[in-house]
Amino acid sequence: MNEVNPGLSQRDLSCIWHPYTQMKVAPLPLPIARGEGVYLYTEDGRKLLDGISSWWVNIHGHAHPKLNAALKAQAEKLEHVLFAGATHEPAVALAEQLLSLLPPGLSRIFYSDNGSTAVEVALKMAWQYWQNQGEDGRRGFITLHHAYHGDTVGAMSSSEQTSFTKAFEGLMFPVRRVHSPYCHRCPVGLKRSDCAIDCLSDLERTLAENAGSIAAVLVEPMLQGAGGMIVWPAEFLAGVRRLCDQFGTLMIADEIFTGFGRTGRMFACEHASVSPDLICLSKGLTGGYLPLAVTATTKRIYDAFLSDDRSKAFFHGHSYTANPLGCAVALASLDLFRTENTLERVRELEAHFRRRLESLRGKKAVGDVRGIGGVAAIELATDGGGYFDSIGPRLSEAFLKRGLLLRPLGSILYFMPPYAITTQEVDWAFDQIAEVLDEI
Ligand SMILES: Cc1ncc(COP(=O)(O)O)c(C=O)c1O
């Protein structure tokens, strides 16, 4: 790697624009040459433990032989075909399997190709559902503070307004935002030990004040990810379902991050035995291999689109809807859940993470520790510079030097490796975290 033969990072610098990156000041991107299991290997010979599952998508590890084989076999049969007026075996088989796993009542699968589009689909479906029923007044959405639902305009409008969305203020539509159960920074000033999920009353009040005008309530069940790895009491989730029923509105569960075992259950809604009216899935759907997404819904919603009037159809689709390669790998990933007892492994990780998190709680740098399933989060005791808190990049750099790839969300440090990680590797990663926390 020199001027005559520049490395990957240098070549990248002259032609690529990266996501969420101030290109003027960003460090050179890591030149990743290959992945295997929980490790990524750089072109310049470094071995990094992928502590964030490559943006929360990877489940069974990188380059898994069974997923590779499924991908290869499908590529040799059918790489892609349009999904309007055509169908294929992997899409049908995957829909059948997902419906057998999803919370009861969900009976139709609509495919798209990434998390944000799965949310757009859910918002548009909910909106048109009411119109098709002749209830034109239900056009509002309620979402939660600290929410993150994606970067397309509808998903962004539904997310918490932050420095990331500021530039697009006039472009977004208004939504009503209500308290999230962020216990460490309780929005109603209580302690979890003596509260009765009082924060839920904000949703109740908002629904009551806007009775008849809300199309849907959109939530990330049990774990709000990008907003700060906020772990919910299951009672809040149960309360959201109860209030949606009470006020006759739809509940959309964004399980793009939480789906496929991330919270220790296949789907986070299971923690409160809740069935949403719409559920959004992506990320772990293909085990972290390919962009694919699902919005699943109920017979009641699907039936409202059936009509002799063609304008009542759901006019939404993407070129790569239900891509066969993605569906085939998703099927192979679900197979691994069964043959490798993946959910059992996540529960073991949860218990192990808890022990290690508790040992960090007393440290000066630590404000709170929390976790669920395969996610361990440490909220640092800083004044809170938000996502742009300079502590984040400094921590990333310190971990990188130690061979651990982490990307804190500002002052929220989290560890979320592929479930395939071993106990020794977990201990090694927590040792690095403990040492770095002592250094800062
Ligand atoms: C809960 C949630 N919803 C939606 C998204 C957006 O997914 P994508 O990045 O695939 O558009 C994310 C991504 O982090 C997410 O965590």
Side-chain angles (χ1 to χ4, degrees):
M1 282 177 277
N2 47 42
E3 269 176 43
V4 182
N5 185 15
L8 195 54
S9 307
Q10 285 296 343
R11 281 169 51 213
D12 171 293
L13 209 56
S14 64
C15 56
I16 289 180
W17 190 347
H18 285 268
Y20 296 121
T21 304
Q22 176 42 265
M23 297 297 290
K24 187 168 178 190
V25 296
L28 282 178
L30 290 169
I32 305 297
R34 68 184 185 89
E36 190 182 334
V38 293
Y39 293 104
L40 295 165
Y41 296 85
T42 63
E43 186 191 50
D44 50 6
R46 284 175 283 166
K47 177 182 175 185
L48 304 172
L49 194 151
D50 184 355
I52 52 168
S53 295
S54 288
W55 254 353
W56 320 351
V57 299
N58 195 289
I59 286 186
H60 309 288
H62 292 277
H64 193 289
K66 291 210 169 128
L67 301 186
N68 289 356
L71 180 57
K72 184 164 180 286
Q74 184 57 41
E76 282 165 1
K77 273 190 254 169
L78 174 68
E79 80 300 337
H80 189 62
V81 64
L82 81 168
F83 209 60
T87 192
H88 49 80
E89 174 62 27
V92 176
L94 180 59
E96 288 167 349
Q97 288 208 21
L98 287 174
L99 292 177
S100 73
L101 296 168
L102 280 166
L106 295 163
S107 59
R108 283 281 160 180
I109 298 290
F110 189 97
Y111 285 109
S112 59
D113 53 13
N114 67 72
S116 304
T117 58
V119 171
E120 298 291 334
V121 167
L123 295 172
K124 287 173 73 176
M125 256 182 201
W127 169 281
Q128 193 181 343
Y129 164 77
W130 293 110
Q131 274 182 55
N132 282 3
Q133 310 252 87
E135 287 213 41
D136 284 351
R138 286 200 179 261
R139 287 168 182 249
F141 291 100
I142 300 180
T143 68
L144 265 54
H145 283 298
H146 309 291
Y148 178 73
H149 297 291
D151 285 353
T152 50
V153 173
M156 191 171 54
S157 306
S158 313
S159 302
E160 180 68 285
Q161 302 303 283
T162 62
S163 331
F164 280 42
T165 54
K166 191 153 181 31
F168 310 107
E169 251 165 25
L171 185 61
M172 293 180 281
F173 55 79
V175 303
R176 290 188 166 74
R177 291 192 175 77
V178 298
H179 290 329
S180 106
Y182 188 175
C183 300
H184 179 58
R185 296 177 187 272
C186 176
V188 289
L190 296 173
K191 289 256 172 301
R192 177 67 193 106
S193 46
D194 49 28
C195 91
I197 318 292
D198 303 63
C199 51
L200 191 62
S201 59
D202 199 19
L203 175 61
E204 182 165 16
R205 194 171 38 248
T206 307
L207 280 166
E209 283 170 4
N210 298 280
S213 70
I214 301 299
V217 177
L218 167 63
V219 298
E220 293 156 87
M222 296 305 293
L223 176 62
Q224 290 182 285
M229 295 299 158
I230 300 166
V231 181
W232 292 8
E235 295 90 330
F236 186 89
L237 176 58
V240 172
R241 177 71 273 181
R242 180 172 47 73
L243 291 173
C244 287
D245 288 341
Q246 187 181 329
F247 290 94
T249 195
L250 302 178
M251 174 180 172
I252 306 173
D254 173 350
E255 292 230 24
I256 285 152
F257 168 37
T258 52
F260 304 99
R262 201 56 80 175
T263 68
R265 308 284 180 97
M266 197 60 168
F267 301 104
C269 280
E270 293 170 26
H271 286 275
S273 304
V274 150
S275 285
D277 299 287
L278 297 123
I279 194 167
C280 308
L281 310 171
S282 187
K283 291 198 186 273
L285 172 60
T286 60
Y289 263 57
L290 286 156
L292 183 71
V294 155
T295 306
T297 191
T298 59
K299 180 172 177 346
R300 169 184 156 210
I301 293 183
Y302 175 73
D303 283 353
F305 288 78
L306 302 180
S307 171
D308 294 327
D309 174 357
R310 293 193 59 202
S311 72
K312 294 206 165 166
F314 187 53
F315 289 112
H316 186 108
H318 298 279
S319 315
Y320 283 100
T321 294
N323 173 253
L325 300 172
C327 293
V329 179
L331 281 164
S333 171
L334 290 180
D335 208 38
L336 286 178
F337 267 92
R338 287 184 288 267
T339 55
E340 297 192 345
N341 283 331
T342 304
L343 286 179
E344 195 45 48
R345 178 64 193 138
V346 184
R347 285 184 206 125
E348 284 165 16
L349 284 179
E350 179 175 27
H352 192 171
F353 284 6
R354 268 218 178 114
R355 285 192 294 275
R356 294 297 313 240
L357 277 174
E358 281 310 318
S359 70
L360 300 175
R361 198 184 278 281
K363 287 193 186 295
K364 209 167 135 236
V366 174
D368 186 35
V369 295
R370 47 189 180 255
I372 184 169
V375 181
I378 299 139
E379 179 161 344
L380 300 177
T382 69
D383 290 342
Y387 190 87
F388 293 122
D389 196 317
S390 65
I391 191 81
R394 283 195 283 129
L395 284 173
S396 286
E397 206 185 307
F399 288 118
L400 212 50
K401 283 198 189 127
R402 292 163 175 264
L404 177 57
L405 179 62
L406 296 181
R407 242 180 99 93
L409 297 156
S411 56
I412 312 289
L413 174 64
Y414 67 92
F415 179 56
M416 186 198 304
Y419 311 152
I421 193 165
T422 65
T423 304
Q424 290 75 11
E425 287 162 339
V426 171
D427 279 329
W428 175 82
F430 270 97
D431 289 346
Q432 308 313 305
I433 292 172
E435 286 173 26
V436 168
L437 287 176
D438 283 338
E439 282 167 16
I440 58 171

